[in-house]
Amino acid sequence: DTAVSQTPKYLVTQMGNDKSIKCEQNLGHDTMYWYKQDSKKFLKIMFSYNNKELIINETVPNRFSPKSPDKAHLNLHINSLELGDSAVYFCASSQVWLWDEQFFGPGTRLTVL
Amino acid sequence: QQPVQSPQAVILREGEDAVINCSSSKALYSVHWYRQKHGEAPVFLMILLKGGEQKGHDKISASFNEKKQQSSLYLTASQLSYSGTYFCGTPNSGNTPLVFGKGTRLSVIA
């Protein structure tokens, strides 16, 4: 069984569109995260969501918004996509906030044309 | 504040050892190590906490020097499967998300 899954695996879209990436974890973890990995492989935290408390990286544009319908899901919505949004987006989860190993999903490669 | 990793890249022959360093200009509360193979997701290796507690895989060893604000990951008797990019991550303060370094690319050749 897949621990952390993401859909879609690839996403190609035009500038200005709105898109969503879904993430689900079946590990029973309390905390979920979204990371962005750019072309230089820099892995940057975007959001952390723990027991309904959301921590936002201040550098993330407000075009990005996480939505958590329940503890097992943390979806990422992106409005008005820009070329610079092209990257691989990883979802992750951990049992304990921060002080525990994070399990990463397989990633979603977003390409904005 | 992003931790600094060194070296940026290293090439090893099977069986050789390597050390990857991670340093911070701020006080370290914990250091988290991950490995990412090409085209795959990062995979957890180890967490080192202030006070000496560690959690991780048995075959991986690492050190955490609070005074020097640095951590080192030790890879001994390297195997081809060790190839990948190694990231260290640290929280900027006690309760903030991880900030990862730029990574160290390790290539193990036969």
Side-chain angles (χ1 to χ4, degrees):
Chain A
D1 285 341
T2 303
V4 182
S5 59
Q6 295 179 228
T7 54
K9 189 169 175 61
Y10 300 96
L11 186 53
V12 181
T13 187
Q14 300 285 336
M15 278 176 55
N17 284 349
D18 303 337
K19 290 294 177 184
S20 295
I21 305 173
K22 294 185 177 181
C23 177
E24 176 182 1
Q25 54 96 2
N26 62 6
L27 298 168
H29 287 169
D30 289 332
T31 307
M32 297 184 74
Y33 312 83
W34 275 107
Y35 288 90
K36 177 182 180 182
Q37 188 169 45
D38 60 23
S39 57
K40 294 184 179 180
K41 304 299 182 187
F42 179 32
L43 194 62
K44 187 177 85 169
I45 183 73
M46 300 178 71
F47 303 102
S48 304
Y49 198 81
N50 177 48
N51 286 330
K52 299 188 185 289
E53 180 186 1
L54 177 65
I55 295 180
I56 302 172
N57 184 323
E58 60 189 13
T59 66
V60 175
N62 57 16
R63 299 181 294 103
F64 291 78
S65 57
K67 297 279 195 314
S68 181
D70 54 59
K71 200 173 82 165
H73 296 85
L74 184 65
N75 303 324
L76 182 65
H77 298 271
I78 317 169
N79 295 325
S80 303
L81 278 156
E82 301 177 358
L83 293 176
D85 298 333
S86 295
V88 179
Y89 292 84
F90 288 102
C91 174
S93 73
S94 65
Q95 179 60 55
V96 178
W97 167 243
L98 288 183
W99 307 100
D100 203 359
E101 66 179 284
Q102 295 183 24
F103 292 80
F104 282 77
T108 295
R109 182 175 292 277
L110 171 66
T111 303
V112 182
L113 304 175
Chain B
Q1 191 81 21
Q2 184 180 28
V4 177
Q5 290 186 232
S6 63
Q8 289 185 335
V10 58
I11 300 175
L12 296 176
R13 292 198 177 275
E14 274 188 292
E16 291 182 337
D17 302 337
V19 180
I20 300 173
N21 300 304
C22 175
S23 62
S24 173
S25 59
K26 293 190 172 186
L28 287 177
Y29 297 89
S30 64
V31 179
H32 304 231
W33 288 96
Y34 287 79
R35 176 173 61 211
Q36 184 179 28
K37 293 181 181 286
H38 181 69
E40 299 182 7
V43 173
F44 170 79
L45 294 176
M46 179 165 282
I47 294 175
L48 302 103
L49 306 177
K50 280 181 75 169
E53 186 178 347
Q54 297 186 358
K55 174 183 176 179
H57 297 289
D58 292 340
K59 294 187 177 180
I60 300 286
S61 66
S63 64
F64 181 18
N65 188 321
E66 295 174 39
K67 286 187 177 179
K68 292 187 177 180
Q69 296 169 189
Q70 67 183 34
S71 174
S72 296
L73 187 69
Y74 304 97
L75 302 167
T76 57
S78 59
Q79 305 171 17
L80 294 175
S81 62
Y82 288 9
S83 294
T85 300
Y86 289 76
F87 293 96
C88 71
T90 62
N92 274 339
S93 64
N95 198 34
T96 57
L98 297 180
V99 177
F100 283 97
K102 293 185 177 179
T104 295
R105 181 176 293 182
L106 179 75
S107 300
V108 181
I109 58 176

